[in-house]
Amino acid sequence: MNLITLDITNSLRGKANKGGLEKKSIYRTALELEQYNKVLWKDPYGFMGLPESRFQFDMIKRLAGRSRRQKIKNLVILGIGGSSLGTQTIFEALLHPFHNYGDSIRKGLPRYFILDNIDPHTINRIVDIVRKEIDHTLLVVISKSGETPETISQFMIFKRLMEKSKGFRERIILITDQKKGVLKQISDKEGYDVLNVPEGVGGRFSVLTPVGLFPSAVMGIDIDEIAHGAMDMSRHIRTAKHTHNMAIVLAAILYLMDKSGRNIHVIMPYCARLSGFADWFRQLEAESLGKGSCGPTPAKSMGVTDQHSQLQLYVDGPRDKCIMLLYSAREKRLIPKTFPYIDGLDYLAKKDLNGLFHAELLGTTLSLTEAGTPNFTILLDDISAYSLGALFFLYEMAIAYLGRLYTINPFDQPGVELGKIYTKAIMGKAGLEKQKKAADRILSAPKTVITF
Ligand code: PA5
C-alpha cells in the first residue's frame, strides 16, 4: 500500500455528484501550478528548505538530551497559534492519547502542558500542579516575534515560579527570532539557551523548525524521521507532473471549490490522532488565505463523532461546503458476541471495530456524494513521525500554491497583528497612545445589551 493516497473521485462531477468539479478544470489549474513550480523551486520560500537544512538539529538534540539527564517531570510549553499548534499536532499523533495520566503510560517521559491560552482559571491550576515539582520542570517559551502578549505574560508568571528553584536557568529554553524581540533581549540579559525560528519562516510554517521539533525531541520523538518524511514529500512535489502531484492537485481542488461557491472547507479526520492536525490545518488555511475580503473558511469535524452532530448540515444544508476526509486506522479490536440472545446484532458481533470505523467513513462519503456535497479522502497507511513530516510539508506546499492562485501573500497575517496591537494599546503599552485613544472611543460608545 502507498503511504499517502489522495482519492478525488467524489469531488469530480458525475451522475452521483452534481456538486463536483470537472476533471479538466482541475488539471488546467494544476498545469498552471506546474509552470509556477518550475520557477518557485529556483527561489523557494523559507519553509521549503527546512526538510533538507535540518536547522539547528544538533543543538535541539543536545538540549533535549540534557533535559533527559535532568529527569524532567513536567514539560511546560508557552506559545500560541503557529508557536503551539505544530507541537500539539505531533504530540496528539505520536504520544499515547492519555499520556499525562500515569507513569506507566508515560514510560519515563515528562507530562506535558501546552499553554496556548491565558484564561486565569487554567493558568492557576497548572501553576498549582507545577509549583509542587518546580525543580523538575522544563519551561519552553516559543514566540517568533518574541513580543506576543499572551506568551510573554505567561513567561512572566512562570519565570517568577521557576526562579525559586535551584539551577532553573538550565531548565528554561527560549525559541525565538535570531535578531530581534523581547525574548531575545531577555535571553541576552539572563543567559538562557536559545533556539531559533529561521529567518523567512513564519509561525504557522514553523513546525519543522525548533518550534515543533525541540519539544518533540524532549519527548523522544524521532525528529530525523519527521524531516525524512518531509524531504521525501518535497522531492515528490518538486518533480511529479501536475496530474500526479499531490500538493498541486490538492491546491487546485481547494481553490476551485471555493471559486464554485464551496467556500467552507471542512477537514474531517477519521483518526483521533489527527485531531490536532485538523486544528493545525485550520490555522494554516485561515491565516494564510483570509486576505482582501477573500479566502475559504476552514472548519473542523471529527469522524465518527461529528457524524452525529454536523453531518446533517453537510448533507442537507447550504451547498457551500466541500469535505476533506482523512483516514488512517490500522489497529484492530474484535467486537465480541456479547449479547447472543439479541437478534439483529450479528452485523457487529465478531467483526472488527476497525471494519466498523471504515464502514462509517464509507457511509459518510456515500451520503455526501449522493447529496451532491463534493468530498475527497486522504488515506494514510500509517501515523508515524515519517508520515506526519510528509503530511505537514504537503499541506504547507498546497497553501503556498493557493497563495499563488489567489494572488495574495500567504505568509503575512495583518489581521492577527492588528489584534495584538489593540491588546497592547488597551493594556497601556507606551508608544500606542493613538491606538489606545481609538480603542477607548469605540469601547465607550453606547452599547445595545440585554441582561438577565
Ligand atoms: O502564524 C502566525 O504567524 C501566528 O499565528 C503566530 O504564530 C502567533 O500569532 C504567535 O506569534 P509569535 O510566535 O510571534 O508569538
Side-chain angles (χ1 to χ4, degrees):
M1 186 172 169
N2 296 317
L3 180 71
I4 302 179
T5 305
L6 168 62
D7 181 349
I8 63 168
T9 316
N10 295 338
S11 61
L12 301 178
R13 185 170 300 236
K15 272 202 190 94
N17 193 347
K18 297 192 178 64
L21 302 166
E22 296 292 347
K23 207 180 202 173
K24 273 196 307 240
S25 64
I26 298 176
Y27 287 161
R28 202 179 311 121
T29 306
L31 186 60
E32 198 184 316
L33 289 175
E34 185 184 277
Q35 304 303 334
Y36 171 57
N37 212 24
K38 289 180 189 145
V39 188
L40 177 63
W41 287 93
K42 288 186 186 140
D43 183 17
Y45 293 120
F47 81 91
M48 291 167 64
L50 291 171
E52 278 84 8
S53 72
R54 299 188 181 215
F55 180 75
Q56 294 185 339
F57 267 37
D58 288 346
M59 194 167 169
I60 292 176
K61 289 177 186 172
R62 184 171 64 71
L63 292 175
R66 187 178 76 187
S67 82
R68 275 192 289 279
R69 287 192 298 282
Q70 288 167 329
K71 303 215 177 339
I72 294 301
K73 289 188 184 156
N74 300 306
L75 168 63
V76 177
I77 298 168
L78 312 182
I80 195 163
S83 287
S84 66
L85 284 162
T87 301
Q88 184 80 46
T89 302
I90 297 172
F91 284 10
E92 281 188 25
L94 302 180
L95 298 178
H96 191 294
F98 305 106
H99 177 91
N100 278 356
Y101 283 8
D103 290 338
S104 60
I105 291 176
R106 283 200 297 282
K107 299 196 173 81
L109 292 172
R111 291 185 210 102
Y112 72 85
F113 303 95
I114 300 177
L115 305 194
D116 59 357
N117 208 329
I118 52 164
D119 186 333
H121 181 84
T122 321
I123 299 290
N124 285 340
R125 271 136 201 91
I126 287 176
V127 164
D128 288 345
I129 295 171
V130 165
R131 198 200 306 270
K132 293 184 192 123
E133 293 177 336
I134 199 72
D135 295 339
H136 299 281
T137 293
L138 174 68
L139 189 66
V140 182
V141 190
I142 310 177
S143 174
K144 154 101 180 163
S145 64
E147 307 271 351
T148 303
E150 292 90 337
T151 308
I152 298 296
S153 59
Q154 290 168 343
F155 186 27
M156 290 160 93
I157 293 167
F158 279 86
K159 157 79 197 315
R160 200 27 81 76
L161 277 183
M162 294 284 288
E163 65 194 8
K164 294 181 188 128
S165 152
K166 200 166 154 249
F168 77 93
R169 259 176 239 285
E170 294 226 311
R171 284 181 287 103
I172 294 183
I173 291 178
L174 311 185
I175 304 178
T176 191
D177 191 85
Q178 275 161 321
K179 294 191 185 135
K180 55 182 191 309
V182 166
L183 274 192
K184 175 162 170 38
Q185 283 172 33
I186 295 174
S187 74
D188 289 349
K189 172 93 178 136
E190 303 201 7
Y192 304 118
D193 284 303
V194 181
L195 290 158
N196 294 115
V197 189
E199 218 174 311
V201 179
R204 58 194 173 278
F205 288 86
S206 69
V207 60
L208 300 175
T209 75
V211 171
L213 300 184
F214 175 66
S216 301
V218 171
M219 289 307 207
I221 291 166
D222 189 342
I223 62 169
D224 288 309
E225 270 304 283
I226 296 182
H228 188 185
M231 207 163 74
D232 286 352
M233 179 54 80
S234 156
R235 197 170 304 127
H236 161 76
I237 294 170
R238 218 166 32 217
T239 54
K241 80 187 274 286
H242 68 287
T243 47
H244 290 76
N245 191 313
M246 211 175 276
I248 282 181
V249 171
L250 181 59
I253 289 186
L254 289 172
Y255 177 72
L256 293 170
M257 286 293 174
D258 183 19
K259 292 294 157 192
S260 65
R262 305 273 168 182
N263 60 320
I264 298 179
H265 292 170
V266 179
I267 177 165
M268 189 167 185
Y270 277 70
C271 174
R273 283 171 296 163
L274 292 179
S275 172
F277 185 80
D279 292 322
W280 178 84
F281 166 77
R282 213 161 52 103
Q283 187 217 12
L284 187 70
E285 190 180 65
E287 271 190 21
S288 303
L289 305 179
K291 314 265 160 80
S293 311
C294 290
T297 300
K300 172 188 174 182
S301 277
M302 286 306 294
V304 301
T305 314
D306 288 323
Q307 280 178 222
H308 305 271
S309 159
Q310 304 294 297
L311 189 60
Q312 172 62 35
L313 175 71
Y314 302 162
V315 168
D316 212 12
R319 314 266 125 209
D320 55 1
K321 296 170 198 70
C322 75
I323 319 294
M324 174 165 61
L325 301 135
L326 270 68
Y327 175 72
S328 185
R330 265 194 162 190
E331 228 166 286
K332 299 205 178 294
R333 180 91 212 178
L334 187 73
I335 309 169
K337 193 171 172 130
T338 309
F339 306 108
Y341 50 89
I342 304 272
D343 287 339
L345 285 183
D346 281 356
Y347 79 104
L348 292 174
K350 294 196 177 159
K351 303 278 178 60
D352 204 283
L353 209 49
N354 182 301
L356 176 60
F357 204 25
H358 193 232
E360 301 258 6
L361 169 78
L362 296 179
T364 296
T365 61
L366 287 174
S367 53
L368 289 168
T369 308
E370 203 175 293
T373 303
N375 59 92
F376 56 94
T377 306
I378 294 186
L379 299 136
L380 286 117
D381 183 36
D382 192 17
I383 302 292
S384 62
Y386 180 87
S387 64
L388 209 54
L391 204 60
F392 279 133
F393 200 75
L394 167 66
Y395 276 80
E396 287 178 344
M397 284 303 300
I399 294 293
Y401 295 133
L402 279 157
R404 169 76 177 193
L405 293 171
Y406 282 100
T407 60
I408 48 105
N409 173 8
F411 303 107
D412 65 359
Q413 56 286 323
V416 179
E417 303 308 334
L418 187 63
K420 289 186 189 179
I421 288 173
Y422 271 126
T423 301
K424 290 176 185 172
I426 292 165
M427 292 297 286
K429 186 171 166 56
L432 297 176
E433 290 75 15
K434 217 172 93 199
Q435 289 86 343
K436 167 106 173 86
K437 256 195 186 156
D440 284 347
R441 206 173 39 247
I442 298 163
L443 294 174
S444 62
K447 299 202 180 336
T448 307
V449 296
I450 297 172
T451 56
F452 168 72

